[in-house]
Amino acid sequence: MSADEDAGRPRRPRGSSEPVPAEPRAEIPSWPRSIGEELVTHVYLTLVRRAHPSRASLISLGFLAIEIDQALPVLEELRLIDVGPEGHINVYPPDVALPAFAAELERQARTSRGASSALATIFYEARTTAGAAPSPETFDLRLLESIEDIDHARVQITPTARQCITRLVARTSRHDRVLLEQPQLLRTSRTMDPDLPPGMRMSVFEASVLELEGALTALRALQDDGVDVRLTASVPFTLVVVDETAALMDISNIEPSGYGSVMIRHGPLVQAISGLAAVVTSASSPVPRTREPSVAGFGFDQRDHDVLSLLAAGASDSVIARKTGVSQRTVERRVRSVMDQLGVATRFQAGVEAARRGLV
């Protein structure tokens, strides 16, 4: 409604002593501005106030015929009234009609939000040209204020992938739940070409994730789905990079509400962020796959192989002990034995050497 003091008040014919009804305090929805928001509001409030409204009664209250002919079709289309024969008007109860009207607006809003991702993909693809200088309309840096905003941004950018998706996943309770309960969110998008190589999808997790019961199984399941799963000592924040054209920086491991996270669509900036992701991935190790410990020249039994696999993945002695079902002291002895057989001095070297020789 208009803020004007006269908005919503029906007009009194000249010479009429009929009092002007008081303006109700209830909020009235906004009407299409093309025919005048105030006009439709005036007419609707007048119809609500009168027990037996009609086109003739509106004219008697001072409305012009042209105004009535503009407003009534709008109110009918919104299913707030029904104009019957001879100009009689049936007003539907507002406590039924207005919630139904609001529900329709919400449906239209949901439809618009649902189309935004697909339309955004078309928009940015049409404006992305290799080597072209960025223009203001193709620069999109959006501040995200909540976890819901972060999830919505992820849903927007991941289906646009045509070449690769790189994820760095920082530890939070939410990300732990996703790994264990919703791993499909870490897999490929439905629009990706299934013939593209598995290396197009990479997810790097903090090695401490292995402390979660079932995490190693979940990580290996992602591997089986074609994701290059890797582990590293720490991840500063969660990052999703799509084709060097879009990026999502999720700082919910620092600010639990997610406020301050950003979605970026700007080629040069995303390429710089992708370079940062490459530095982290280059220092990461692949999650070891389960394999038989029959390696010529090494006296490893199955438990030694399990210890070596977890060692290469960056697991601590306590985690290895829990995963293999032996004491931490036994793990320390086995780690030392493995390092001696590989001829290395540190745990890190043991993991590198094991990977180089194809032992994990």
Side-chain angles (χ1 to χ4, degrees), residues 52-316:
H52 303 288
S54 64
R55 192 175 188 280
S57 66
L58 290 175
I59 292 176
S60 70
L61 291 173
F63 288 99
L64 301 177
I66 190 172
E67 294 175 328
I68 297 171
D69 291 340
Q70 286 180 320
L72 293 185
V74 173
L75 294 172
E76 273 196 300
E77 184 178 353
L78 297 176
R79 300 179 183 177
L80 299 179
I81 67 168
D82 177 52
V83 180
E86 300 181 2
H88 295 293
I89 300 171
N90 175 38
V91 180
Y92 297 122
D95 59 337
V96 175
L98 288 178
F101 174 46
E104 174 61 18
L105 293 179
E106 290 167 0
R107 186 195 65 78
Q108 293 177 16
R110 286 194 301 270
T111 300
S112 297
R113 285 194 295 269
S116 66
S117 178
L119 292 175
T121 299
I122 296 171
F123 175 86
Y124 288 107
E125 284 184 350
R127 288 160 177 76
T128 301
T129 305
S135 59
E137 64 269 18
T138 60
F139 184 94
D140 183 8
L141 193 154
R142 195 171 308 169
L143 176 67
L144 307 176
E145 301 184 359
S146 65
I147 298 298
E148 183 180 9
D149 285 352
I150 293 171
D151 290 341
H152 181 65
R154 174 182 53 77
V155 170
Q156 276 192 304
I157 67 173
T158 53
T160 69
R162 295 296 180 270
Q163 298 174 3
C164 63
I165 293 181
T166 300
R167 290 183 174 90
L168 308 182
V169 185
R171 288 291 305 280
T172 68
S173 58
R174 179 171 63 97
H175 293 141
D176 288 349
R177 286 196 303 273
V178 167
L179 174 63
L180 298 178
E181 300 172 13
Q182 297 178 290
Q184 68 275 11
L185 298 181
L186 299 170
R187 297 182 180 131
T188 183
S189 69
R190 292 189 299 273
T191 61
M192 285 185 178
D193 187 337
D195 296 328
L196 291 175
M200 69 176 292
R201 293 169 285 155
M202 177 179 289
S203 292
V204 182
F205 296 83
E206 294 187 29
S208 63
V209 76
L210 293 174
E211 298 171 3
L212 292 173
E213 187 66 34
L216 186 58
T217 300
L219 294 174
R220 284 174 171 164
L222 285 177
Q223 281 183 325
D224 293 339
D225 193 50
V227 180
D228 183 0
V229 183
R230 307 179 74 85
L231 295 167
T232 191
S234 65
V235 175
F237 52 84
T238 296
L239 176 65
V240 181
V241 182
V242 178
D243 291 350
E244 294 192 345
T245 59
L248 169 61
M249 299 176 65
D250 170 0
I251 64 167
S252 58
N253 61 313
I254 302 169
E255 171 49 61
S257 70
Y259 182 85
S261 301
V262 291
M263 184 180 76
I264 304 164
R265 291 184 188 266
H266 175 56
L269 182 54
V270 174
Q271 289 171 22
I273 294 171
S274 179
L276 173 64
V279 172
V280 176
T281 57
S282 66
S284 63
S285 301
V287 170
R289 291 184 178 274
T290 303
R291 64 173 65 187
E292 293 301 321
S294 54
V295 181
F298 293 92
F300 292 160
D301 61 17
Q302 180 64 57
R303 184 160 291 171
D304 285 329
H305 179 266
D306 292 342
V307 168
L308 184 57
S309 296
L310 292 167
L311 180 65
S316 64

